[in-house]
Amino acid sequence: MFSVLSYGRLVARAVIGGLSQTDSRDYSLVTASCGFGKGILKKGMCYGDDACFIARHKSADVLGVADGVGGWRDYGVDPSQFSGTLMKTCERLVKEGRFVPSNPVGVLTSSYYELLQNKVPLLGSSTACIVVLDRQSHRLHTANLGDSGFLVVREGEVVHRSDEQQHYFNTPFQLSIAPPEAEGAVLSDSPDAADSSSFDVELGDIILTATDGLFDNMPDYMILQELKKLKNTNYESIQQTARSIAEQAHVLAYDPNYMSPFAQFACDNGLNVRGGKPDDITVLLSIVAEYTN
């Protein structure tokens, strides 16, 4: 006959054993992308001056977005070259296994310094956001430099989000490579300045990673309304929802009567602004699922 204490221990072991079995499953991200560029669409995962990547390694799923600074166009430089090369380099480093899942800043740093050491000079600036899911630990590790960012949604509510990094209104933190004669005159931040975070995720969590073209035109409540339409965790459903979100942001960006988050932020800084903010828009929409080979 078992004592109450012995019975309690058996129950505890059963519960712990069940949790252990649940925790032993690897997680992964099912991700779709969509976006709009203000000008000509680029090849690959580039929308205007925005760029993104989605990569897998045996230990982690990694994705990122970058927003090339359009001001370089005034100096004859294509802003998409910097953001696109930065994201392609991040993707290659991940696929080669040259990263630590718990250190997304390291991915950004290694990629940036490769660009600095290129034999062919590459000029430009870009914001960047890197998101890494460690499959075994079920932890999401993030690094955000500037005003791109991410949301984590659970049961219809935002449970985590990135913080914007601005030097002053409409001037985000950014990685830069300037010509020698302009060094010191061009705004440039270190990858180490990126805001980092780590937290546990659950099966079914939704992770939305995007450039500021989305967040400047759609407040959280609108994004959440669109995410409610996501009924399945298959790629096709995720792709459809990502497109719906990007399309709505694109329409609002060109609405002169809409009080966008960007316009509200401008008003808070003493500027009389109304309407959406025409901009490149990149959306990566992910769902945390059980990993399958």
Side-chain angles (χ1 to χ4, degrees), residues 98-244:
R98 295 166 57 190
F99 77 107
V100 177
S102 60
N103 183 23
V105 173
V107 178
L108 197 57
T109 300
S110 297
S111 179
Y112 177 56
Y113 282 112
E114 276 203 22
L115 267 59
L116 285 172
Q117 295 165 7
N118 276 348
K119 293 181 180 179
V120 179
L122 178 69
L123 304 179
S125 304
S126 175
T127 65
C129 181
I130 306 293
V131 174
V132 183
L133 173 66
D134 187 314
R135 291 212 192 97
Q136 290 190 333
S137 70
H138 309 161
R139 287 186 69 78
L140 200 71
H141 305 281
T142 69
N144 186 56
L145 185 80
D147 57 3
S148 293
F150 67 90
L151 300 175
V152 179
V153 178
R154 182 178 301 156
E155 297 180 355
E157 295 185 359
V158 176
V159 293
H160 294 284
R161 71 169 304 141
S162 56
D163 291 324
E164 267 195 18
Q165 294 180 310
Q166 297 267 5
H167 288 285
Y168 43 87
F169 174 68
N170 207 27
T171 307
F173 283 33
Q174 54 202 264
L175 302 176
S176 299
I177 299 179
E181 63 272 16
E183 287 183 4
V186 172
L187 188 64
S188 182
D189 298 286
S190 166
D192 291 334
D195 181 64
S196 301
S197 63
S198 295
F199 45 86
D200 294 332
V201 292
E202 299 177 4
L203 290 174
D205 281 357
I206 300 171
I207 301 163
L208 185 146
T209 310
T211 55
D212 66 321
L214 173 69
F215 299 118
D216 281 343
N217 288 297
M218 285 184 72
D220 286 1
Y221 80 88
M222 283 191 184
I223 295 173
L224 291 175
Q225 285 176 349
E226 290 300 311
L227 291 177
K228 288 179 181 177
K229 301 175 183 178
L230 184 58
K231 302 300 182 183
N232 298 303
T233 59
N234 58 58
Y235 175 81
E236 290 73 19
S237 180
I238 298 170
Q239 178 67 67
Q240 183 177 0
T241 304
R243 173 166 290 278
S244 176

Side-chain angles (χ1 to χ4, degrees), residues 16-121:
I16 292 171
L19 290 174
S20 177
Q21 288 179 2
T22 300
D23 289 346
S24 67
R25 295 181 296 177
D26 284 358
Y27 288 1
S28 66
L29 296 178
V30 183
T31 303
S33 68
C34 187
F36 292 91
K38 288 185 296 183
I40 300 173
L41 288 177
K42 311 288 182 178
K43 292 183 179 180
M45 296 187 70
C46 293
Y47 305 101
D49 297 334
D50 287 357
C52 60
F53 78 93
I54 302 168
R56 279 190 164 193
H57 191 257
K58 60 183 179 181
S59 61
D61 289 348
V62 188
L63 50 88
V65 297
D67 180 2
V69 176
W72 282 94
R73 195 170 279 106
D74 297 337
Y75 301 92
V77 175
D78 180 355
S80 70
Q81 290 296 312
F82 187 91
S83 57
T85 305
L86 181 70
M87 292 292 95
K88 288 177 182 176
T89 306
C90 286
E91 180 180 10
R92 176 175 55 78
L93 292 174
V94 170
K95 289 183 175 179
E96 291 175 353
R98 295 166 57 190
F99 77 107
V100 177
S102 60
N103 183 23
V105 173
V107 178
L108 197 57
T109 300
S110 297
S111 179
Y112 177 56
Y113 282 112
E114 276 203 22
L115 267 59
L116 285 172
Q117 295 165 7
N118 276 348
K119 293 181 180 179
V120 179

